[in-house]
């Protein structure tokens, strides 16, 4: 995916902020989709809400619009290998390992070893150009491993060896077959 950030005159300012990495998941009765992103933030305390951006070119955008739910797993620093495995083409629960996931209120896959997670139900969707902005009521969440450090964009993009990938970068355009757990 070309995030078009290079064409944005404010991209150098954006890069000054610290951004945590979330595995964003959405699911309906037939399909699910993951993407890793930092395009999420708290939107309200009362009621508790989150905002997450979904790139229109990812099938997850259609799925969240259809199902009305998504989950955010706050990736831990020790999940760097999982992040790299994902971008090397392992982009489904089965490919990453079913034992790494759990399911709660929304039926969206959540990383068991995440620092924390939120589950959201769509309150509003805004068309924002090449992304949609989903504003969601938080319907569940928990600090699973609050002692862990979070994985962050600055580390992934600037501080580590640039030869970390073992193959080509694979973006998650397509979702995968999903059966909502009982």
């Amino acid at each position: 995916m070309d995030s078009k950030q290079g064409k944005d005159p404010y991209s150098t300012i954006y890069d000054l902020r610290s951004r945590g990495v979330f595995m964003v998941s959405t699911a309906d009765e037939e399909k699910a989709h993951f993407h890793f992103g930092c395009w999420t933030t708290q939107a309200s305390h009362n009621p508790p809400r989150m905002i997450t951006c979904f790139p229109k070119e990812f099938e997850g955008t259609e799925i969240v619009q259809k199902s009305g739910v998504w989950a955010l797993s706050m990736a831990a620093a020790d999940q760097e290998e999982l992040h790299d495995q994902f971008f090397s083409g392992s982009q489904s629960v089965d490919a990453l390992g079913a034992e790494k996931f759990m399911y709660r209120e929304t039926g969206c896959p959540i990383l068991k070893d995440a620092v924390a997670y939120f589950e959201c139900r769509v309150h509003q969707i805004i068309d924002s150009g090449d992304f949609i902005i989903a504003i969601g009521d938080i319907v569940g969440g928990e600090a699973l491993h609050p002692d862990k450090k979070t994985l962050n964009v600055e580390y992934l993009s600037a501080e580590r060896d640039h030869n970390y990938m073992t193959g080509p970068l694979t973006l998650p355009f397509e979702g995968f077959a999903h059966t909502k757990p009982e």
Side-chain angles (χ1 to χ4, degrees), residues 105-125:
E105 174 88 12
T106 62
C108 296
I110 298 166
L111 288 171
K112 285 182 183 177
D113 289 334
V115 173
Y117 74 90
F118 295 100
E119 290 187 284
C120 301
R121 190 166 311 281
V122 170
H123 170 74
Q124 181 179 7
I125 291 181

Side-chain angles (χ1 to χ4, degrees), residues 3 8 32 38-39 57 61 78 81 102 106-107 111-112 161:
S3 67
D8 187 331
C38 59
W39 312 304
E57 60 198 336
T61 301
D78 65 3
E81 187 176 312
M102 64 182 186
T106 62
L111 288 171
K112 285 182 183 177
D161 179 8

